Every structure is written in structure tokens, then in C-alpha cells.
Amino acid sequence: MNMSINKGKDIAEGSNSRSTVSVSAADHQQNPPPLSRYESQKRRDWNTFGQYLRNQRPPVALSQCNANHVLDFLRYLDQFGKTKVHLQGCVFFGQPEPPGPCTCPLRQAWGSLDALIGRLRAAYEENGGLPETNPFASGAIRIYLREVRDSQAKARGIPYKKKKKKRIPLKSSNNEDSSASFPIQQS
């Protein structure tokens, strides 16, 4: 009987090894490890997109979101861009380093939009969305991004060239016919 009293006292004081583990687990839940830069940005982007949908009139539920809402969001973000994109009528159109200022608009850079869509595409599925219904993976989004990339490249006078993948043949470990091996593509 004396042991049961001591056991109760030990548990109350936290001297039981099991209670120590649960306390440290509780501490760990209160202080999760810091998020990576990518994860922090993805969460921030996801929250921004959610706020954008809630601010629509009428508000749009995430389950009702489609590629048109995503396109509108990308166009909305242009007003916060820092990349000068020369219009076709501008005297600096097609010049990589214009000699002077102009009144052409500032836009979001293609690379920023492309990275944003990648993060939002991942966040959509991490938050319960199905890959088949992911509005960020829509063909319309890919077309829009391609058009932005091409128009910005023309405005700067620098054509966008896709990097070609290098093909490196596999080295055969025995003396068999090396034509049977498949080349590895590296990007």
C-alpha cells in the first residue's frame, strides 16, 4: 500500500519517466521546429490567395475556385510588381538595358509568377485538394505563364531559350553491347 502512495506522489511530481516524455512532447508541440524558407513562403502565398478569394464579391469558396480565379489573382498581383515591362509603342521596347526612364508599367516578373504557381499548386494538394481538380495545374495557367514569359522576353529584347538536357550514356560494367543501355537525362 505504501508503494501505491509513492507511485501517486512520483506521478504528481513528474518523476515517472512516462510523464517526463509527455511533458517534453507537449513542449515540442508548442514549439515546432521553424519552417524552411520555402515552407514559410508557401504558407504565406496560400494565406494570401485565400484572403484574395474571401475578398471577392461575392466571396469564393476554395471548393469553387477554378483557373479563372487563379488568372485573376495573377493579374491582381501585377500592381505590386517591380519589373518594368516595355509596351510595344515604347521607344525602349526590345532593349535589354534602356538608357532612360519611361512610363511603361511595372509587373510581376515571369519567374516570380512561375515559382508562386508551383508553391500554390503544392499547397492546394497539401490542404486536401485533389490533383485532378487543382486549379493551379490547369492548362490555362501554363498558357498564361508562357505568354507572360514570351512577352517579357520580347519587351527586354532577350529571347527566352529553354535549356537543353544533356544526355550522358551509361557506362556498362561488363562487356555487353552498350547500345542496350538507356541514356540518363540531367537538367
Side-chain angles (χ1 to χ4, degrees):
M1 187 136 167
N2 194 12
M3 283 200 268
S4 66
I5 293 172
N6 286 340
K7 185 177 178 186
K9 185 179 175 186
D10 288 346
I11 291 172
E13 292 175 358
S15 64
N16 186 339
S17 64
R18 247 191 260 158
S19 65
T20 304
V21 170
S22 65
V23 169
S24 65
D27 288 344
H28 185 67
Q29 287 175 350
Q30 290 172 349
N31 299 324
L35 296 175
S36 69
R37 184 173 178 221
Y38 171 80
E39 292 296 330
S40 297
Q41 187 66 51
K42 183 168 55 171
R43 178 182 286 179
R44 193 167 34 252
D45 293 340
W46 182 249
N47 291 338
T48 301
F49 182 70
Q51 187 64 48
Y52 172 80
L53 291 178
R54 287 188 293 279
N55 288 341
Q56 298 303 298
R57 295 290 168 243
V60 178
L62 189 58
S63 59
Q64 302 300 313
C65 173
N66 60 37
N68 289 331
H69 296 107
V70 176
L71 290 171
D72 289 343
F73 177 65
L74 295 177
R75 291 183 191 110
Y76 159 78
L77 290 177
D78 263 344
Q79 66 184 309
F80 307 110
K82 297 176 184 157
T83 301
K84 176 79 72 169
V85 179
H86 299 288
L87 302 174
Q88 280 203 296
C90 177
V91 294
F92 300 132
F93 182 82
Q95 293 185 25
E97 295 180 33
C102 68
T103 59
C104 291
L106 294 174
R107 300 259 166 87
Q108 289 289 337
W110 165 77
S112 299
L113 294 176
D114 188 49
L116 170 68
I117 290 298
R119 290 189 300 268
L120 289 173
R121 185 176 182 173
Y124 179 84
E125 293 175 19
E126 288 173 10
N127 285 283
L130 298 173
E132 305 83 45
T133 60
N134 191 333
F136 304 100
S138 163
I141 304 303
R142 285 192 300 277
I143 290 169
Y144 176 79
L145 289 174
R146 188 180 318 125
E147 288 173 353
V148 168
R149 180 194 70 199
D150 293 346
S151 69
Q152 289 185 5
K154 284 179 189 171
R156 292 174 52 222
I158 302 171
Y160 174 82
K161 293 180 182 168
K162 191 172 184 178
K163 293 179 183 175
K164 294 188 178 185
K165 295 182 180 179
K166 296 178 184 175
R167 296 174 59 109
I168 302 171
L170 287 176
K171 292 182 180 178
S172 180
S173 60
N174 54 18
N175 292 336
E176 293 178 13
D177 182 17
S178 63
S179 65
S181 65
F182 295 98
I184 297 175
Q185 292 186 345
Q186 294 180 338
S187 52

